[in-house]
Structure formats: structure tokens, C-alpha cells
Amino acid sequence: MSRDPLTLDDLAAPLRALRLLAVDFGHLPAPNVSISPIYPGRLELSFHSGLPDFEAWREALDAAPGAVDYHVQGNTGTGVLRAVAAYAGAALELYGYFDVVVAVPAEAGAA
């Protein structure tokens, strides 16, 4: 099934949201930004520098702490936090990536 390709106008909602985020939250840490014609109503912000940046944005966008999803990517030891918020007509997805530290009991390390 063939569709006409989307235009830049079709990405107006996430582009508008990005512009307003820059105005309203320009003091917050800079995220990686993703806008895709695959999901034209979505703006994705990701943080690879630790959880404080993710948390600052989560609080600023008033995403409830209890609504944050957590999982570990495969066996890579990379934890992922995901929060969703609505902003300026776009669906915002926040992602925070961090290293998962597994404690090794002292007895296991001595063997």
C-alpha cells in the first residue's frame, strides 16, 4: 500500500513543541532530539548523560514519577527510563539511559 510522503507541514506539532520547549525550558540540559515521519505527532527527547538530566525534564513537564517505565535493554546492562507527556499538541517521549550496576557479594568475588 503506497502513501504520499509526508511533508514538513505534517510534522508541525512536534516541531512547534520543540520550538516552545527551547523558549520555556532553555535552561535545562540539552537532549538528543528525534522527530520522525513514521510517528508524525511525536517528539522524542533522550538523555545519555545520567539520570539527573532525565529527571529535570520529567519534573519540568510534570510527568508523574509513578508513570515512568523502567526496563533493562537485553543483557547489555543499560537501564532505560521512559516517560510520556503531552506538550503543545505533541506527544513527548522522554528516555533516560544509564548503566545498571549489579552488586556482587563479597563471597562471590573472593572465589
Side-chain angles (χ1 to χ4, degrees):
M1 178 180 211
S2 177
R3 273 186 44 182
D4 289 335
L6 294 180
T7 65
L8 199 55
D9 283 341
D10 295 321
L11 301 176
L15 289 169
R16 179 183 329 102
L18 181 59
R19 180 175 49 89
L20 292 173
L21 286 171
V23 172
D24 293 343
F25 302 110
H27 62 285
L28 291 177
N32 291 320
V33 176
S34 178
I35 298 173
S36 170
I38 297 169
Y39 302 103
R42 181 189 306 172
L43 173 61
E44 200 173 287
L45 307 177
S46 61
F47 306 90
H48 300 265
S49 57
L51 296 179
D53 295 350
F54 172 88
E55 190 60 20
W57 277 93
R58 186 203 56 77
E59 286 180 6
L61 294 170
D62 203 26
V68 175
D69 296 326
Y70 164 77
H71 71 275
V72 175
Q73 288 183 340
N75 292 328
T76 65
T78 300
V80 181
L81 295 180
R82 177 181 173 264
V84 177
Y87 184 80
L92 263 61
E93 290 192 8
L94 305 177
Y95 289 92
Y97 298 94
F98 59 97
D99 292 329
V100 175
V101 179
V102 178
V104 176
E107 300 83 37

